[in-house]
Amino acid sequence: MGESWVNYAERVGVDLHLELSAPGGRRAALTGALREAVRDGRLAPGTRLPPYRSLAADLGVARNTVADAYAELVAEGWLTARQGSGTRVADRVEPSRAATRAPRKMPPRARGPRHDLRQGSPDASSFPRAAWLASYRRALQGAPSEVFGPGDPAGRRELREALAEYLARARGVRADPGRIVICSGFAHALRLLFEPGHAKATARGGPGSAVLRGPLAVEAYGLGFHRRLLTAAGVRTVPLSLDEDGARVDLLGRERGVLLTPAHQFPTGGPLHATRRAAVVDWARARDAVVLEDDYDGEFRYDRKPVGAVQGLDPERVVHIGSVSKSLSPALRLGWMVLPERYVEGVLAVKGEREAWASVLDQLSLADFIASGAYDRHVRRMRQQYRRRRDRLVEALAEHAPHVEVTGVAAGLHAVLRLPPGTERSTLKAAAWQGVALDGLAEFRHPEERTPEDADPAVRDGLVVGYATPPEHAYGAALDALCAVLPPP
């Protein structure tokens, strides 16, 4: 007879798969299948079974076959039958096999560090749950029905309009909603720009073309993940040396573009000098090249007003990329690109015909969060909190390790601690032994960049300390542990 699906949805609200191919006739097969379903827990105690006639019709068997099977299971104690209550699974039955099996031995769970001072994450405990929930509710209640269909690959118009206003006001970006494309973060933006995608990706490209092509100049210190992503897309990255004024854009040559973190160089700290901001735009104009601006934490500046975006100098030569991963949470997976007009069609072609990355409901919630002023309030509150944390870090080092220089503290969520030459690796080992998670400066160096011995003093041995990651109650202990592992003078 084979396998049969019994649909109880209209009667008892569950679906049940019964195997009726066992030998011994239809009644024996049905009795065994029901007994197995109870034993395995697929039919829970108290579950009401369908009437004889209904189950017989579903399975294509005689009514008496079902009645006999039920009667046998009632006699065995698997089922109960009462007048007016129907046939139900007995409350006390043999435990399921899953419950009686010996527990599977799980591998021991790796213990995390006692103190997490790695860069890259905001304080997760400070996520504005109440305000976000209020925005989510308003967005959900006011959402038109078409929101629940396939999403627009450009992103919801509501969010693009809110971002255009906010970025113009807070970051000096010259943005039109029609030139903003929503993505899931900076890495996703790089994929949309550089990975081969669609025949319409560029006006000059054929099938499989990417929107942008290499070689691409990158800062000599940056996230290795981004470099590896570009390499996987066939883009050669050329390191651009750094000094106290930021990236040496005067060394740019025949590259097709340059990737910069001009508001707060990652990870060494410090903004790109004003003359170099103008110079890189002039270079892009002369070379018909493009500047990729990673504005990863531009809102968090402590000693003066935030540095405006380079995009404001020439919207047709700069791709401005941002996200909420530092300001709100990386869990939201929401970012944006403000594109030169000539790249919009290509990016949308690569992205596809519908939104496949960023939740439409989260987009609407962020649009409300920005428009209601909650985003500004949250950023101001976190700016004050992170500044206090930065100050505590500086004060702790001044007291316990005055020989260690702290740099890159005017902005962002991390600082760089300059170490004596040759001590970075041993300090990281000592920190790991004491349960302190830290990043070393060498981890972020481009493999083709000069060694620290030959490089500018601004980028020699050091630690990249993320002071935003620990929850507030654990921050003091994390600072004590950090100071304890630093090398002596």
Side-chain angles (χ1 to χ4, degrees):
M1 185 171 4
E3 298 180 351
S4 295
W5 281 98
V6 181
N7 186 351
Y8 295 170
E10 295 181 359
R11 295 179 289 277
V12 296
V14 297
D15 289 330
L16 178 64
H17 181 68
L18 296 177
E19 170 61 67
L20 300 184
S21 58
R26 294 183 176 184
R27 191 189 77 174
L30 177 59
T31 304
L34 287 170
R35 186 186 295 115
E36 193 73 12
V38 174
R39 180 184 290 122
D40 286 347
R42 290 183 290 141
L43 281 175
T47 299
R48 185 172 183 266
L49 273 65
Y52 305 154
R53 180 182 290 108
S54 298
L55 184 58
D58 284 342
L59 295 178
V61 300
R63 179 181 173 186
N64 287 341
T65 299
V66 178
D68 291 344
Y70 278 12
E72 183 175 341
L73 293 172
V74 168
E76 293 177 359
W78 295 101
L79 305 179
T80 61
R82 294 182 182 177
Q83 186 70 29
S85 181
T87 305
R88 296 179 180 270
V89 177
D91 288 336
R92 293 184 179 182
V93 296
E94 179 183 313
S96 69
R97 290 178 181 176
T100 57
R101 290 192 194 106
R104 186 162 57 100
K105 191 171 181 180
M106 300 295 290
R109 187 174 181 179
R111 292 183 59 188
R114 288 195 296 274
H115 307 290
D116 192 351
L117 290 171
R118 289 170 290 193
Q119 62 74 37
S121 297
D123 177 7
S125 65
S126 295
F127 184 81
R129 301 184 187 212
W132 182 262
L133 180 59
S135 287
Y136 193 92
R137 283 174 171 166
R138 286 193 296 267
L140 189 61
Q141 290 171 350
S145 297
E146 51 94 10
V147 161
F148 301 97
D152 183 346
R156 288 296 303 182
R157 181 79 185 186
E158 297 91 332
L159 178 55
R160 291 185 285 122
E161 289 177 347
L163 284 171
E165 186 278 330
Y166 172 78
L167 294 172
R169 170 171 52 81
R171 304 296 301 123
V173 172
R174 292 155 63 184
D176 177 89
R179 292 165 63 167
I180 296 177
V181 174
I182 303 302
C183 56
S184 66
F186 187 80
H188 185 210
L190 286 184
R191 291 187 176 99
L192 292 174
L193 290 167
F194 286 99
E195 287 188 352
H198 195 280
K200 295 181 180 178
T202 63
R204 294 169 296 199
S209 295
V211 177
L212 299 179
R213 303 174 186 174
L216 181 73
V218 298
E219 293 163 328
Y221 282 72
L223 279 176
F225 170 67
H226 292 162
R227 292 194 297 267
R228 291 190 294 273
L229 188 154
L230 290 164
T231 299
V235 178
R236 184 170 69 90
T237 60
V238 180
L240 201 58
S241 296
L242 303 169
D243 61 21
E244 64 276 5
D245 291 328
R248 291 282 309 276
V249 299
D250 58 303
L251 300 178
L252 286 167
R254 302 178 64 84
E255 295 85 8
R256 303 290 295 271
V258 58
L259 170 58
L260 300 172
T261 52
H264 184 227
Q265 202 287 318
F266 180 85
T268 63
L272 186 65
H273 194 277
T275 59
R276 295 188 179 179
R277 293 159 70 89
V280 74
V281 170
D282 290 341
W283 169 83
R285 291 169 178 165
R287 292 284 307 158
D288 191 23
V290 64
V291 178
L292 303 182
E293 179 177 27
D294 181 1
D295 198 38
Y296 70 101
D297 66 358
E299 293 133 324
F300 295 112
R301 191 157 193 89
Y302 311 120
D303 296 338
R304 57 180 183 272
K305 291 183 178 180
V307 178
V310 172
Q311 190 266 4
L313 299 178
D314 192 339
E316 294 303 327
R317 294 294 172 187
V318 181
V319 176
H320 180 86
I321 307 172
S323 77
V324 297
S325 63
K326 303 295 187 294
S327 57
L328 278 172
S329 168
L332 288 177
R333 309 308 307 147
L334 284 176
W336 52 85
M337 289 184 281
V338 184
L339 295 160
E341 186 174 3
R342 65 186 183 277
Y343 297 141
V344 174
E345 181 182 355
V347 167
L348 293 179
V350 173
K351 198 174 183 188
E353 296 182 356
R354 59 179 63 188
E355 178 57 65
W357 293 83
S359 163
V360 173
L361 292 179
D362 284 346
Q363 291 183 49
L364 290 175
S365 301
L366 180 58
D368 181 273
F369 199 70
I370 294 172
S372 67
Y375 187 73
D376 285 88
R377 290 190 293 272
H378 174 72
V379 168
R380 284 195 299 269
R381 179 170 65 87
M382 298 311 299
R383 189 184 294 135
Q384 294 170 358
Q385 176 176 310
Y386 293 147
R387 179 171 183 167
R388 288 193 297 268
R389 290 196 179 192
R390 179 206 65 172
D391 292 346
R392 289 176 64 185
L393 170 64
V394 173
E395 291 166 2
L397 292 169
E399 180 179 356
H400 300 290
H403 58 288
V404 174
E405 180 187 4
V406 189
T407 63
V409 294
L413 308 182
H414 70 271
V416 175
L417 278 55
R418 304 296 177 184
L419 299 179
T423 62
E424 178 180 319
R425 185 174 300 179
S426 60
T427 301
L428 289 173
K429 286 184 178 180
W433 182 258
Q434 297 298 326
V436 182
L438 292 167
D439 294 311
L441 195 58
E443 175 185 340
F444 302 100
R445 187 170 64 246
H446 193 287
E448 297 178 22
E449 176 63 358
R450 295 172 296 174
T451 62
E453 293 76 14
D454 300 327
D456 186 278
V459 287
R460 290 182 180 169
D461 282 22
L463 302 176
V464 181
V465 178
Y467 49 79
T469 305
E472 191 68 27
H473 71 273
Y475 187 54
L479 291 182
D480 292 341
L482 170 67
C483 292
V485 301
L486 293 175

